[in-house]
Amino acid sequence: MSKEKSISKSDLNWLVHMRGKIQELTLEIYNFEVALDDEERERPWPVLGYLIGIAFSLWRAVFLSLPERKPSEVYKHGRDILSILLETNAVGFPQDKATLQWMAGYYNNNAILRLSDLYADPAAVAVIKDVIPENAHETVIGWYRPDRQTEFSNLTPTRQCELAFEAFKMTFRLLQQIFERDRPSPL
């Protein structure tokens, strides 16, 4: 396992800021869901199910996205995680941290692939289709296609996390628009 390196002041600032953004949006999603009445609750779940997985993935990724990735460390940490799985059959945050060069990519990619799956899932798209912008492919949502995976993997983990967060936020805002649009106006 690699030794822990101290994090620069600018990296700490990014970490705390990004973690705050992820947690604030996660809280918004939670408050949105608990405010739904029983009749409304089932309708958004094709989207919310994905958003919850994305929230967890980004929450974990942000802790692991520093420092910059080095291919040799990614490969070593990938091998290390295999060893941990085989030897202990358990992976928690200490193991994530010890193999962060590989794990940062795992959690960022998990968020991205969930976004890609969400926009490929007919049930999820049916919920938000009326508010998806016509130029969605030109927004951060458009990043999440299998043919761009190599391009995405060449970005720094911090940039991956930021892009995934923006698409996560945009998707939740689309879901909010649907429910705001469909709620009756108070007289």
Side-chain angles (χ1 to χ4, degrees):
M1 309 290 161
S2 66
K3 292 181 181 176
E4 193 84 21
K5 296 176 183 132
S6 63
I7 297 177
S8 73
K9 184 177 177 182
S10 66
D11 285 345
L12 278 176
N13 287 333
W14 178 88
L15 176 70
V16 171
H17 176 72
M18 196 68 199
R19 182 172 54 218
K21 287 171 57 170
I22 292 164
Q23 289 178 322
E24 286 173 13
L25 188 57
T26 301
L27 178 60
E28 278 188 62
I29 292 168
Y30 175 82
N31 288 333
F32 170 85
E33 198 282 329
V34 299
L36 296 172
D37 62 38
D38 290 339
E39 292 175 15
E40 294 176 309
R41 188 153 276 125
E42 190 174 326
R43 183 171 162 224
W45 269 97
V47 175
L48 281 174
Y50 286 107
L51 292 177
I52 293 166
I54 294 163
F56 176 77
S57 294
L58 290 176
W59 172 77
R60 189 71 104 179
V62 77
F63 289 98
L64 304 168
S65 291
L66 296 168
E68 295 294 319
R69 295 172 84 190
K70 297 177 189 154
S72 63
E73 287 292 305
V74 173
Y75 307 144
K76 180 187 178 318
H77 285 181
R79 186 176 53 250
D80 289 347
I81 198 66
L82 287 174
S83 177
I84 291 167
L85 286 171
L86 293 169
E87 291 174 20
T88 68
N89 201 34
V91 175
F93 188 70
Q95 292 79 23
D96 280 359
K97 194 81 166 129
T99 58
L100 64 82
Q101 291 281 316
W102 187 84
M103 284 299 208
Y106 171 80
Y107 286 111
N108 280 321
N109 278 318
N110 192 39
I112 291 154
L113 294 172
R114 285 176 182 276
L115 283 161
S116 178
D117 286 350
L118 185 157
Y119 285 97
D121 183 336
V125 171
V127 174
I128 58 175
K129 72 178 183 315
D130 294 340
V131 294
I132 295 175
E134 288 185 31
N135 69 337
H137 64 285
E138 297 170 8
T139 69
V140 287
I141 294 169
W143 251 98
Y144 307 104
R145 297 188 315 267
D147 62 326
R148 293 194 76 178
Q149 188 62 30
T150 300
E151 183 182 354
F152 188 83
S153 68
N154 288 327
L155 299 173
T156 64
T158 53
R159 187 66 183 134
Q160 290 175 347
C161 192
E162 291 164 351
L163 284 169
F165 175 79
E166 290 304 318
F168 170 54
K169 181 171 75 175
M170 181 181 285
T171 302
F172 178 60
R173 298 291 179 243
L174 294 174
L175 185 63
Q176 284 179 306
Q177 283 178 35
I178 286 293
F179 278 79
E180 289 168 6
R181 181 195 73 185
D182 293 348
R183 285 228 161 108
S185 301
L187 296 175

Short mmCIF file of all heavy atoms in Angstrom, two decimals, residues 67-90:
data_model
loop_
_atom_site.label_atom_id
_atom_site.label_comp_id
_atom_site.label_asym_id
_atom_site.label_seq_id
_atom_site.Cartn_x
_atom_site.Cartn_y
_atom_site.Cartn_z
N PRO A 67 -4.46 12.78 -4.57
CA PRO A 67 -3.80 13.67 -5.51
C PRO A 67 -4.02 13.21 -6.96
O PRO A 67 -4.76 12.28 -7.20
CB PRO A 67 -2.32 13.50 -5.12
CG PRO A 67 -2.24 12.07 -4.67
CD PRO A 67 -3.57 11.79 -4.00
N GLU A 68 -3.32 13.86 -7.87
CA GLU A 68 -3.42 13.49 -9.28
C GLU A 68 -3.08 12.01 -9.44
O GLU A 68 -2.24 11.47 -8.73
CB GLU A 68 -2.44 14.32 -10.12
CG GLU A 68 -2.75 15.80 -10.13
CD GLU A 68 -4.04 16.13 -10.83
OE1 GLU A 68 -4.33 15.53 -11.88
OE2 GLU A 68 -4.77 17.00 -10.32
N ARG A 69 -3.72 11.39 -10.42
CA ARG A 69 -3.47 9.97 -10.67
C ARG A 69 -2.20 9.79 -11.49
O ARG A 69 -1.91 10.57 -12.38
CB ARG A 69 -4.63 9.35 -11.43
CG ARG A 69 -5.90 9.34 -10.62
CD ARG A 69 -7.06 8.89 -11.45
NE ARG A 69 -7.09 7.44 -11.46
CZ ARG A 69 -7.89 6.74 -12.25
NH1 ARG A 69 -8.68 7.33 -13.09
NH2 ARG A 69 -7.88 5.43 -12.21
N LYS A 70 -1.49 8.73 -11.17
CA LYS A 70 -0.32 8.31 -11.95
C LYS A 70 -0.61 6.90 -12.44
O LYS A 70 -0.96 6.04 -11.64
CB LYS A 70 0.92 8.30 -11.06
CG LYS A 70 1.29 9.65 -10.52
CD LYS A 70 2.48 9.54 -9.60
CE LYS A 70 2.68 10.87 -8.90
NZ LYS A 70 3.35 10.72 -7.63
N PRO A 71 -0.47 6.67 -13.75
CA PRO A 71 -0.80 5.33 -14.26
C PRO A 71 -0.14 4.20 -13.49
O PRO A 71 -0.79 3.20 -13.18
CB PRO A 71 -0.34 5.39 -15.72
CG PRO A 71 -0.48 6.83 -16.08
CD PRO A 71 -0.09 7.58 -14.82
N SER A 72 1.12 4.34 -13.14
CA SER A 72 1.80 3.25 -12.42
C SER A 72 1.14 2.99 -11.07
O SER A 72 1.01 1.85 -10.64
CB SER A 72 3.28 3.56 -12.24
OG SER A 72 3.46 4.72 -11.44
N GLU A 73 0.68 4.06 -10.39
CA GLU A 73 0.00 3.90 -9.11
C GLU A 73 -1.40 3.32 -9.30
O GLU A 73 -1.87 2.54 -8.47
CB GLU A 73 -0.08 5.23 -8.37
CG GLU A 73 1.25 5.68 -7.78
CD GLU A 73 1.70 4.78 -6.64
OE1 GLU A 73 0.94 4.60 -5.67
OE2 GLU A 73 2.82 4.26 -6.73
N VAL A 74 -2.08 3.71 -10.38
CA VAL A 74 -3.40 3.16 -10.66
C VAL A 74 -3.28 1.64 -10.81
O VAL A 74 -4.05 0.88 -10.22
CB VAL A 74 -4.02 3.79 -11.93
CG1 VAL A 74 -5.32 3.08 -12.31
CG2 VAL A 74 -4.27 5.28 -11.72
N TYR A 75 -2.30 1.20 -11.59
CA TYR A 75 -2.12 -0.23 -11.82
C TYR A 75 -1.78 -0.95 -10.52
O TYR A 75 -2.33 -2.01 -10.21
CB TYR A 75 -1.02 -0.50 -12.86
CG TYR A 75 -1.21 0.24 -14.16
CD1 TYR A 75 -0.12 0.73 -14.86
CD2 TYR A 75 -2.47 0.48 -14.70
CE1 TYR A 75 -0.27 1.43 -16.05
CE2 TYR A 75 -2.63 1.17 -15.89
CZ TYR A 75 -1.53 1.64 -16.56
OH TYR A 75 -1.69 2.32 -17.73
N LYS A 76 -0.88 -0.36 -9.74
CA LYS A 76 -0.49 -0.97 -8.46
C LYS A 76 -1.68 -1.04 -7.52
O LYS A 76 -1.93 -2.07 -6.90
CB LYS A 76 0.65 -0.18 -7.82
CG LYS A 76 1.09 -0.77 -6.48
CD LYS A 76 2.10 0.09 -5.77
CE LYS A 76 2.49 -0.46 -4.43
NZ LYS A 76 1.42 -1.00 -3.61
N HIS A 77 -2.46 0.04 -7.42
CA HIS A 77 -3.61 0.05 -6.53
C HIS A 77 -4.71 -0.90 -7.01
O HIS A 77 -5.43 -1.48 -6.19
CB HIS A 77 -4.14 1.46 -6.34
CG HIS A 77 -3.27 2.29 -5.45
ND1 HIS A 77 -3.58 3.59 -5.13
CD2 HIS A 77 -2.10 2.02 -4.81
CE1 HIS A 77 -2.65 4.08 -4.33
NE2 HIS A 77 -1.73 3.14 -4.14
N GLY A 78 -4.82 -1.07 -8.31
CA GLY A 78 -5.76 -2.06 -8.85
C GLY A 78 -5.37 -3.46 -8.41
O GLY A 78 -6.22 -4.25 -7.98
N ARG A 79 -4.10 -3.76 -8.50
CA ARG A 79 -3.60 -5.06 -8.03
C ARG A 79 -3.79 -5.20 -6.52
O ARG A 79 -4.20 -6.24 -6.02
CB ARG A 79 -2.13 -5.22 -8.42
CG ARG A 79 -1.53 -6.57 -8.14
CD ARG A 79 -0.09 -6.71 -8.65
NE ARG A 79 0.78 -5.64 -8.17
CZ ARG A 79 1.28 -4.66 -8.93
NH1 ARG A 79 1.01 -4.60 -10.22
NH2 ARG A 79 2.07 -3.73 -8.41
N ASP A 80 -3.54 -4.11 -5.79
CA ASP A 80 -3.71 -4.13 -4.32
C ASP A 80 -5.16 -4.42 -3.93
O ASP A 80 -5.41 -5.18 -2.99
CB ASP A 80 -3.28 -2.79 -3.70
CG ASP A 80 -1.77 -2.57 -3.74
OD1 ASP A 80 -1.01 -3.52 -4.03
OD2 ASP A 80 -1.36 -1.41 -3.51
N ILE A 81 -6.11 -3.82 -4.65
CA ILE A 81 -7.52 -4.06 -4.29
C ILE A 81 -7.90 -5.51 -4.56
O ILE A 81 -8.65 -6.11 -3.79
CB ILE A 81 -8.48 -3.05 -4.96
CG1 ILE A 81 -9.84 -3.03 -4.24
CG2 ILE A 81 -8.73 -3.33 -6.41
CD1 ILE A 81 -9.80 -2.51 -2.84
N LEU A 82 -7.35 -6.09 -5.62
CA LEU A 82 -7.60 -7.52 -5.86
C LEU A 82 -7.06 -8.35 -4.70
O LEU A 82 -7.73 -9.28 -4.23
CB LEU A 82 -6.95 -7.96 -7.18
CG LEU A 82 -7.60 -7.48 -8.46
CD1 LEU A 82 -6.75 -7.88 -9.66
CD2 LEU A 82 -9.02 -8.04 -8.58
N SER A 83 -5.87 -8.03 -4.25
CA SER A 83 -5.26 -8.75 -3.14
C SER A 83 -6.12 -8.61 -1.87
O SER A 83 -6.36 -9.58 -1.16
CB SER A 83 -3.85 -8.21 -2.90
OG SER A 83 -3.27 -8.85 -1.79
N ILE A 84 -6.56 -7.39 -1.60
CA ILE A 84 -7.41 -7.15 -0.42
C ILE A 84 -8.69 -7.98 -0.51
O ILE A 84 -9.11 -8.61 0.46
CB ILE A 84 -7.73 -5.65 -0.27
CG1 ILE A 84 -6.47 -4.88 0.11
CG2 ILE A 84 -8.85 -5.42 0.75
CD1 ILE A 84 -6.59 -3.36 -0.03
N LEU A 85 -9.32 -7.97 -1.68
CA LEU A 85 -10.55 -8.75 -1.86
C LEU A 85 -10.32 -10.24 -1.61
O LEU A 85 -11.11 -10.89 -0.95
CB LEU A 85 -11.11 -8.55 -3.27
CG LEU A 85 -11.78 -7.22 -3.56
CD1 LEU A 85 -12.07 -7.09 -5.06
CD2 LEU A 85 -13.06 -7.08 -2.76
N LEU A 86 -9.22 -10.75 -2.16
CA LEU A 86 -8.93 -12.17 -2.00
C LEU A 86 -8.53 -12.54 -0.58
O LEU A 86 -8.93 -13.58 -0.07
CB LEU A 86 -7.83 -12.59 -2.98
CG LEU A 86 -8.23 -12.54 -4.46
CD1 LEU A 86 -7.00 -12.69 -5.34
CD2 LEU A 86 -9.29 -13.58 -4.77
N GLU A 87 -7.76 -11.68 0.08
CA GLU A 87 -7.26 -11.99 1.42
C GLU A 87 -8.29 -11.76 2.52
O GLU A 87 -8.32 -12.51 3.49
CB GLU A 87 -6.02 -11.15 1.72
CG GLU A 87 -4.81 -11.54 0.89
CD GLU A 87 -3.64 -10.60 1.09
OE1 GLU A 87 -3.59 -9.88 2.12
OE2 GLU A 87 -2.76 -10.58 0.22
N THR A 88 -9.10 -10.70 2.40
CA THR A 88 -9.97 -10.33 3.51
C THR A 88 -11.46 -10.42 3.20
O THR A 88 -12.27 -10.40 4.12
CB THR A 88 -9.69 -8.88 3.96
OG1 THR A 88 -10.10 -7.98 2.93
CG2 THR A 88 -8.23 -8.69 4.31
N ASN A 89 -11.81 -10.44 1.92
CA ASN A 89 -13.21 -10.48 1.51
C ASN A 89 -14.00 -9.28 2.03
O ASN A 89 -15.20 -9.36 2.24
CB ASN A 89 -13.87 -11.79 1.97
CG ASN A 89 -15.10 -12.11 1.15
OD1 ASN A 89 -15.17 -11.83 -0.04
ND2 ASN A 89 -16.08 -12.71 1.80
N ALA A 90 -13.31 -8.17 2.27
CA ALA A 90 -13.97 -6.97 2.78
C ALA A 90 -13.24 -5.72 2.30
O ALA A 90 -12.01 -5.66 2.32
CB ALA A 90 -13.98 -6.99 4.31
#
